[in-house]
Structure formats: C-alpha cells, structure tokens
Amino acid sequence: GNITSAITVSGSGAVSPEYENAYVTGSDSWSGKVTLTGGELGIYDAYTGNGNLDASGGQFAINSNSSVTLGSGSSISNAVKVLVDNGSTLTINGANANISLADSQIQGTLNLTSGNLELGNVFGSNGTLQTTGGNLTINGTNVQIGNASDIADSTTVTISSGATLNQTGGDIVL
C-alpha cells in the first residue's frame, strides 16, 4: 500500500482496529505524514524514499537494505526506539532527531546532511555515522562510531558534559 495521507500509530500501536503496526515496503510510496506515538513503523524490502515522520514514542525500524530520508518538518524524540539494520540507511535532511534511547541500535548508516541530530550510545559494531552538514550533539557517555564514519567540518558538533565520542578509523574534521 501507499501512505499518501496522514496516518497515526498511537497508544498500543493501533492504526485501525485491524492493525497494530504500519509497514512500508519496497513497492510502496510514502508522501503523507506519519505520527508515531506507540507501536512500530517498519520499513522493509529495499524501500528507498523520503518520509514525513512525527515520532514521539514507539519503534521506527529500517530493515532489509532500505533507505529513508527525513526532511524538514520531521522529528524523532528521545522516547522512540530507532533501529537501522546493517545495509540500511537513515538520512536526517532538515529533520530534528534525538536518537538516544538505550534500546536503539544503529547497525547500518546514519547520515546527517542538515537539521539537528542528538546521539546517545546507539551504534552497533557495524554502525557508521556520515555527516556533511547540520548540527550534531553527542550526549552519550561513550558513543562509539564505526570505522567508515566521517564527520565533516561543515557539521557543527557539540559534545555534552560527560559525553565522549570514540572512533577507530574514518575521519573527524572539526
């Protein structure tokens, strides 16, 4: 199916009486706004596209070599569990995202091109961070980013008191 108008995933995850979760797959399109307050918004089957997301709770999962770009007007709060599988990508392009919930896991790629990204201890062993712009805030006590990670000098980086950023390989240019 296609998301072309606004849908809400709320409470225990009900979109309608028949569904607890909402899924976007490779053959779907997503042009409407999704409000996520509970349940799961899952992206599967090599989906590639832009999304409009207002997430204040629940789980946002990008799987199966999928790629989602969240633009201006999109947001992810620190109460959302964000999962990006190995081979999948989440791009923040004008959105405001706080990915710091302890259960979140970035095994794929997280891109920041513009907008605001706040990060906690969410990277798995394969997870990479790529930035070409925007504002990056590190708030985790030990944020470890993968070998292929690059933080460009065009990105404004803030490392909060008590936070650390660790990288083995790649480039951090501040």
Side-chain angles (χ1 to χ4, degrees):
N2 299 321
I3 299 175
T4 57
S5 60
I7 67 167
T8 299
V9 180
S10 64
S12 64
V15 175
S16 69
E18 298 85 29
Y19 302 107
E20 291 183 5
N21 303 304
Y23 300 102
V24 179
T25 64
S27 61
D28 295 336
S29 67
W30 176 7
S31 61
K33 183 171 191 161
V34 174
T35 301
L36 181 65
T37 60
E40 177 185 5
L41 175 60
I43 312 298
Y44 292 94
D45 300 332
Y47 172 83
T48 298
N50 298 321
N52 186 350
L53 177 64
D54 180 11
S56 61
Q59 177 173 296
F60 179 46
I62 304 173
N63 303 290
S64 308
N65 297 307
S66 296
S67 178
V68 174
T69 298
L70 298 178
S72 182
S74 291
S75 65
I76 300 173
S77 84
N78 65 349
V80 177
K81 181 178 181 180
V82 177
L83 303 171
V84 180
D85 261 2
N86 192 13
S88 294
T89 302
L90 172 59
T91 299
I92 305 301
N93 185 21
N96 292 307
N98 183 329
I99 304 174
S100 56
L101 187 66
D103 290 340
S104 293
Q105 185 74 216
I106 307 299
Q107 291 285 358
T109 301
L110 182 58
N111 292 325
L112 174 62
T113 58
S114 66
N116 301 295
L117 176 60
E118 188 170 338
L119 283 176
N121 305 334
V122 297
F123 284 90
S125 58
N126 296 319
T128 59
L129 174 65
Q130 300 287 324
T131 75
T132 57
N135 301 300
L136 173 65
T137 301
I138 304 298
N139 68 8
T141 55
N142 185 21
V143 177
Q144 178 72 45
I145 56 178
N147 292 348
S149 296
D150 290 310
I151 299 175
D153 63 348
S154 56
T155 302
T156 302
V157 179
T158 303
I159 300 178
S160 301
S161 177
T164 58
L165 175 64
N166 296 304
Q167 178 184 25
T168 53
D171 294 314
I172 298 177
V173 181
L174 302 176

